[in-house]
């Protein structure tokens, strides 16, 4: 198997779908346009919603993108596991009332088996439980034996995100082999472990959901596919996690170089190394789209991400502000797909440094207030910091107080 890099895979995907008549569009901004239901763009289809519903006319009925996405729902787990992250790129091919299931399935198979060369015997499709049409396409047209096609329920194979265009889906899983498995009896496609990795999601967008379980048929049938670029790279490069793929490893290595730490020596250091590696990507891309740190909405998400990374930098022993320097590595790794990063680099560095400096001052101020509080406690003969004071230190000065050892939790 060829170990394609992230930048190569992005290009290969877009070129493949261009060869199938798609218009390759630039990634949309992370800031949603005319969509109050989202704080940040979280999937390839999100900026395209009006084209699915027919509210707007797309520039072409076949479009392909590599969309920058942010999902912060699991932010508390970032760093603690090798799976979670806030920033990712989603590859997608879209049909707005043009082709439907036959082509979408055939092309996903062609790309995975012939373009990037994954072994077809390791690929397993899944379908929505009642979708016999998709079953027949996989079985009769692609030639996948019936016992290799998995039927899953709504939870796994029906894609919807709040209100808006949605529909049943057919996913493709890749068997990464026993070394990644849990070894439990019955471990197969759909198991929670790392062996069977979902790489591709073909959504047959045919409904408009009201977000409360009500669906109306859309006048046009659409295709919305999504494939996490980083995940595809994990499979192609046969590495443990997204933190080991080429572009992210470059950032991870830089964090190690700046802190003098080695990855996979100390579990707590690894939490910080992974968290910073992820967060600097989100922060760099958010700033390049014009989001500024603030105390509300998107700006607050950015501020929180920068401050979390800055705090973990301190925990790793990095001296002084470091995020702008690290952003230079992010830009270097991603400017192929996102030339605007290079164009806006001075602005990105400035915003990161200002926020990090401001945070450093706030922390120092917090520590000095803590020392005053400790003096007062001593004078009063009190041994435990009050909840009120602990909250003030956290809320106003960003200081979290730990019992030892620190769980690196925030
Ligand atoms: N919307 C689907 C997803 O995000 C496919 O693009 O997975």
């Amino acid at each position: 198997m060829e170990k394609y890099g992230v930048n190569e895979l992005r290009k290969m995907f877009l070129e493949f779908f261009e060869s199938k008549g798609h218009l390759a569009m630039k990634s949309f901004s992370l800031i949603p346009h005319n969509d109050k239901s989202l704080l940040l763009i979280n999937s390839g289809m999100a900026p395209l919603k009006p084209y699915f519903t027919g509210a707007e006319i797309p520039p072409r009925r076949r479009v392909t993108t590599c969309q920058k996405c942010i999902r912060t729902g699991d932010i508390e787990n970032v760093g603690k596991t090798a799976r979670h992250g806030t920033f990712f790129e989603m590859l997608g091919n879209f049909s707005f009332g043009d082709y439907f299931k036959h082509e979408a399935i055939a092309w996903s198979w062609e790309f995975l088996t012939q373009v990037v060369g994954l072994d077809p015997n390791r690929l397993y499709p899944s379908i929505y439980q009642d979708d016999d049409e998709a079953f027949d396409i996989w079985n009769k047209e692609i030639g996948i034996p019936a016992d290799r096609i998995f039927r899953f329920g709504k939870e796994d194979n029906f894609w919807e995100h709040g209100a808006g265009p949605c529909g049943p889906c057919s996913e493709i899983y890749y068997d990464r082999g026993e070394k990644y498995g849990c070894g439990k009896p019955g471990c197969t496609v759909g198991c929670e472990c790392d062996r069977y990795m979902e790489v591709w999601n073909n959504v047959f967008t045919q409904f408009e959901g009201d977000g409360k379980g009500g669906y109306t048929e859309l006048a046009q049938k659409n295709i919305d596919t999504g494939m996490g670029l980083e995940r595809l790279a994990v499979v192609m490069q046969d590495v443990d996690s997204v933190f080991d793929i080429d572009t992210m490893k470059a950032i991870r290595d830089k964090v190690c170089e700046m802190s003098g730490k080695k990855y996979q020596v100390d579990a707590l250091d690894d939490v910080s190394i992974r968290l910073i590696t992820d967060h600097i990507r989100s922060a760099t891309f958010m700033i390049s789209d014009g989001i500024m740190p603030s105390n509300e909405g998107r700006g607050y998400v950015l501020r929180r991400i920068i401050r979390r990374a800055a705090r973990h930098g301190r925990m790793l022993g990095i001296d002084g502000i470091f995020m702008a320097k690290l952003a230079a590595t992010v830009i270097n790794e991603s400017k192929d797909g996102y030339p605007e990063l290079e164009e806006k680099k001075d602005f990105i560095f400035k915003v990161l440094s200002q926020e990090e400096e401001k945070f450093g001052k706030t922390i120092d101020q917090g520590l000095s207030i803590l020392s005053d509080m400790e003096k007062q406690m001593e004078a009063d003969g009190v041994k435990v910091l009050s909840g009120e004071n602990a909250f003030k230190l956290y809320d106003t000065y960003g200081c979290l107080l730990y019992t030892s050892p620190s769980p690196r939790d925030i």
Side-chain angles (χ1 to χ4, degrees):
M1 193 162 63
E2 194 84 39
K3 292 194 188 304
Y4 295 113
V6 166
N7 290 311
E8 268 175 295
L9 288 168
R10 186 192 303 110
K11 202 161 166 270
M12 287 162 89
F13 183 91
L14 296 173
E15 283 177 2
F16 174 74
F17 280 101
E18 277 184 302
S19 80
K20 305 286 184 198
H22 292 63
L23 173 70
M25 293 177 79
K26 240 179 110 252
S27 170
F28 291 80
S29 164
L30 283 164
I31 305 176
H33 177 68
N34 283 340
D35 184 354
K36 292 215 162 51
S37 73
L38 285 179
L39 206 53
L40 291 157
I41 291 297
N42 61 0
S43 64
M45 68 81 76
L48 306 169
K49 282 182 191 170
Y51 300 152
F52 285 109
T53 58
E56 281 177 32
I57 310 287
R60 199 183 294 174
R61 276 150 54 119
R62 296 178 182 193
V63 162
T64 182
T65 60
C66 180
Q67 175 65 45
K68 43 195 167 182
C69 299
I70 290 190
R71 290 186 188 174
T72 55
D74 281 327
I75 194 166
E76 303 297 339
N77 285 323
V78 175
K80 291 185 208 161
T81 74
R83 286 178 177 214
H84 291 92
T86 56
F87 180 86
F88 64 99
E89 295 175 56
M90 188 175 269
L91 300 164
N93 56 288
F94 308 96
S95 155
F96 308 112
D98 190 46
Y99 63 86
F100 200 44
K101 294 186 187 181
H102 293 270
E103 295 87 339
I105 288 178
W107 291 337
S108 57
W109 191 253
E110 186 182 337
F111 182 80
L112 290 179
T113 59
Q114 287 173 37
V115 180
V116 294
L118 290 180
D119 178 358
N121 294 317
R122 284 175 170 249
L123 292 170
Y124 295 83
S126 74
I127 53 163
Y128 180 58
Q129 55 198 8
D130 305 326
D131 194 350
D132 293 330
E133 188 188 0
F135 179 87
D136 283 345
I137 297 172
W138 281 115
N139 185 234
K140 300 198 174 93
E141 295 177 23
I142 310 291
I144 310 291
D147 62 354
R148 291 175 59 98
I149 305 171
F150 288 74
R151 287 181 189 260
F152 291 136
K154 197 169 173 201
E155 205 167 287
D156 293 300
N157 278 42
F158 191 95
W159 199 87
E160 59 188 326
H161 218 107
C166 58
C169 55
S170 174
E171 301 184 323
I172 304 175
Y173 289 80
Y174 180 75
D175 178 4
R176 309 193 65 215
E178 267 170 36
K179 65 177 171 173
Y180 293 106
C182 57
K184 291 187 190 140
C187 171
T188 185
V189 173
C191 181
E192 286 293 302
C193 76
D194 288 335
R195 176 166 175 179
Y196 297 92
M197 196 178 226
E198 179 221 314
V199 285
W200 195 300
N201 190 7
N202 275 313
V203 184
F204 310 125
T205 314
Q206 57 198 90
F207 301 112
E208 168 92 33
D210 61 10
K212 297 177 210 134
Y215 303 101
T216 40
E217 281 271 346
L218 286 168
Q220 57 180 35
K221 303 281 178 275
N222 310 287
I223 290 294
D224 152 29
T225 77
M227 175 160 61
L229 174 58
E230 292 83 352
R231 249 190 210 204
L232 176 66
V234 166
V235 167
M236 297 307 306
Q237 297 175 17
D238 195 22
V239 289
D240 282 350
S241 81
V242 294
F243 295 95
D244 305 303
I245 62 175
D246 58 336
T247 49
M248 292 202 39
K249 184 173 175 296
I251 305 168
R252 197 192 81 193
D253 286 348
K254 192 77 189 166
V255 177
C256 290
E257 184 196 310
M258 286 171 162
S259 58
K261 301 276 187 184
K262 280 204 166 68
Y263 190 53
Q264 287 180 330
V265 168
D266 178 282
L268 284 180
D269 285 345
D270 287 351
V271 171
S272 298
I273 293 167
R274 284 191 291 258
L275 183 141
I276 298 169
T277 301
D278 167 77
H279 282 20
I280 189 64
R281 296 208 315 148
S282 280
T284 304
F285 276 89
M286 285 170 94
I287 299 167
S288 80
D289 276 339
I291 301 171
M292 295 294 283
S294 76
N295 285 335
E296 55 184 20
R298 282 181 281 276
Y300 180 66
V301 176
L302 174 60
R303 172 158 283 166
R304 192 165 169 225
I305 283 173
I306 297 175
R307 292 186 171 202
R308 277 164 62 96
R311 186 158 64 234
H312 279 265
R314 286 184 168 223
M315 287 180 195
L316 282 181
I318 300 180
D319 231 4
I321 64 166
F322 66 96
M323 292 187 65
K325 231 188 275 169
L326 196 56
T329 307
V330 176
I331 295 171
N332 223 15
E333 294 301 317
S334 298
K335 64 182 180 208
D336 236 40
Y338 306 91
E340 68 273 18
L341 291 175
E342 179 72 17
E343 285 153 27
K344 297 188 184 156
K345 71 178 180 196
D346 292 336
F347 176 69
I348 296 169
F349 297 160
K350 197 166 135 202
V351 174
L352 281 170
S353 299
Q354 275 174 351
E355 181 62 17
E356 212 181 338
E357 261 161 26
K358 204 187 273 180
F359 181 57
K361 278 192 200 129
T362 314
I363 288 256
D364 292 340
Q365 223 178 329
L367 291 175
S368 130
I369 287 174
L370 174 63
S371 143
D372 290 347
M373 286 173 179
E374 280 170 343
K375 279 184 205 139
Q376 190 59 50
M377 282 161 64
E378 220 173 292
D380 298 345
V382 176
K383 291 212 159 40
V384 182
L385 187 76
S386 71
E388 197 187 332
N389 279 345
F391 183 74
K392 182 173 167 191
L393 287 167
Y394 170 64
D395 195 45
T396 316
Y397 302 102
C399 300
L400 257 196
L401 307 172
Y402 295 115
T403 49
S404 183
S406 144
R408 297 251 165 129
D409 220 340
I410 43 181

